[in-house]
Amino acid sequence: MAMEGPRILMLGAGAVGMTYGYHLEQGGASVTYFVKPKYRESVLKPTHLYPLNDGALGTCRAREYAPSRAISSLEELNVRDYDQVWLSISSTALRSESVEAFLKKLSSDGEHPPLLISLLPGIDDRKWVLERYPESKLINGMISLIAYWAPLEGEPDITPGWAFYFPPFGPSPFSGPKSGVDAVLSILKRGKQPATAHADVTGMSAFPTAVMMPLLAALELEGWKFERLAQGSWLKAALEAMSETLGVVEAVKGNARPLWSRVFSAFWVRAGLKVAPYLLPLPIETYLRVHFTKVGDQTLFFLKSWQTSAEEVGVSTEHLRSLAASLENARLAR
């Protein structure tokens, strides 16, 4: 008799949550989504999924996904109904009163809390969660895929749905207690989603985040145009801020910055901006604008959280402060 798969509760039903949820179900799990009441009905409707690793929109074959269950209140949440709980939310949403109440209920049964899988990238997110949840039950993961509501502007006119892309040689890494990591990897791999074990996901992912966020701030200040970023003055400002964010991560995490970050320069940024549209099966410039406008509060939150951490470890962040202030002022002026 075949063993039943894990019972999973997914907090977050956006592009990432739906992509993970689909592959977890393909691997044999039963997935319930925890959503706001206004989204409960819509999240259960069948929708199309577009695997861009099989080809760009218009050429890849759509898959249909219809989640079987959703809940929308803590009153409906029976903690013992779930083996795993996944956090597919932003770092700013993590710190909301509703999520704090959610974690409090999950950990209320001290002997039997479910495994908690956090996909949050912030430098202090793990610490924040550990103040509310036992470390023995926490798995940290890093989102290495691209997922979005399609079609984006400029893409073929297809039935709307979730598109996702797994970059080659970039499986989603997970770290934490070995038995928990093994359970996560087993179900994802059966569901055909690339995943791997890592010794310290939060320490590793902090450096790419420290590189990406200043560049995203500069790209937004340049109107989300690659050409303008490559030729404009905000690239220099972003690289100066990036040097500071990497220094903050180095001091806070106690890990030396990776070699690739030491040779990162305007030349490599310009080269990446030039080739990215040809390497990815989606309009990456449009994707970045749409996605990071939607989670724009998180970008600014990261820039400010590095400033706070810098004060605690005595690292200067003059350029980072200037970049964050410029971004905030530009948003206020719109």
Side-chain angles (χ1 to χ4, degrees), residues 81-306:
D81 283 347
Y82 304 101
D83 305 303
Q84 300 177 13
V85 176
W86 287 61
L87 301 181
S88 177
I89 56 177
S90 69
S91 293
T92 47
L94 173 69
R95 289 158 174 81
S96 66
E97 291 182 3
S98 60
V99 173
E100 184 153 17
F102 178 82
L103 291 176
K104 183 177 181 180
K105 181 156 187 179
L106 287 182
S107 60
S108 60
D109 188 345
E111 293 185 6
H112 303 285
L115 196 65
L116 185 68
I117 295 89
S118 170
L119 299 174
L120 294 146
I123 189 172
D124 294 323
D125 290 343
R126 175 178 164 83
K127 178 182 176 182
W128 195 95
V129 172
L130 284 176
E131 290 172 354
R132 295 156 178 84
Y133 212 79
E135 186 172 17
S136 62
K137 290 290 186 175
L138 178 62
I139 302 296
N140 287 102
M142 186 179 82
I143 300 168
S144 61
L145 58 88
I146 296 173
Y148 62 95
W149 184 253
L152 294 171
E153 180 184 342
E155 289 189 307
D157 184 17
I158 47 94
T159 301
W162 302 108
F164 61 86
Y165 176 67
F166 301 124
F169 313 115
S172 297
F174 293 88
S175 65
K178 185 177 185 304
S179 60
V181 171
D182 288 346
V184 168
L185 296 183
S186 175
I187 197 72
L188 282 177
K189 288 180 178 180
R190 285 203 302 271
K192 308 299 182 184
Q193 177 164 337
T196 188
H198 191 277
D200 178 17
V201 164
T202 56
M204 176 266 289
S205 64
F207 289 105
T209 304
V211 168
M212 182 172 68
M213 289 300 159
L215 285 174
L216 284 171
L219 183 60
E220 182 175 343
L221 287 165
E222 293 288 10
W224 300 105
K225 297 297 183 182
F226 282 5
E227 185 175 356
R228 288 177 58 179
L229 177 60
Q231 298 177 359
S233 60
W234 286 115
L235 177 55
K236 181 176 183 293
L239 291 170
E240 291 171 337
M242 183 192 307
S243 178
E244 294 173 347
T245 58
L246 288 168
V248 173
V249 172
E250 210 169 23
V252 171
K253 295 295 184 182
N255 299 332
R257 66 184 71 181
L259 179 61
W260 62 263
S261 70
R262 297 176 184 273
V263 298
F264 208 77
S265 66
F267 170 81
W268 291 113
V269 174
R270 293 188 179 104
L273 293 172
K274 191 171 184 178
V275 302
Y278 301 99
L279 296 179
L280 297 170
L282 66 144
I284 185 62
E285 188 177 77
T286 303
Y287 163 77
L288 292 174
R289 172 176 57 80
V290 171
H291 177 70
F292 287 101
T293 296
K294 182 180 178 182
V295 296
D297 58 339
Q298 181 175 260
T299 304
L300 201 54
F301 171 80
F302 281 158
L303 298 181
K304 291 184 176 183
S305 66
W306 280 313

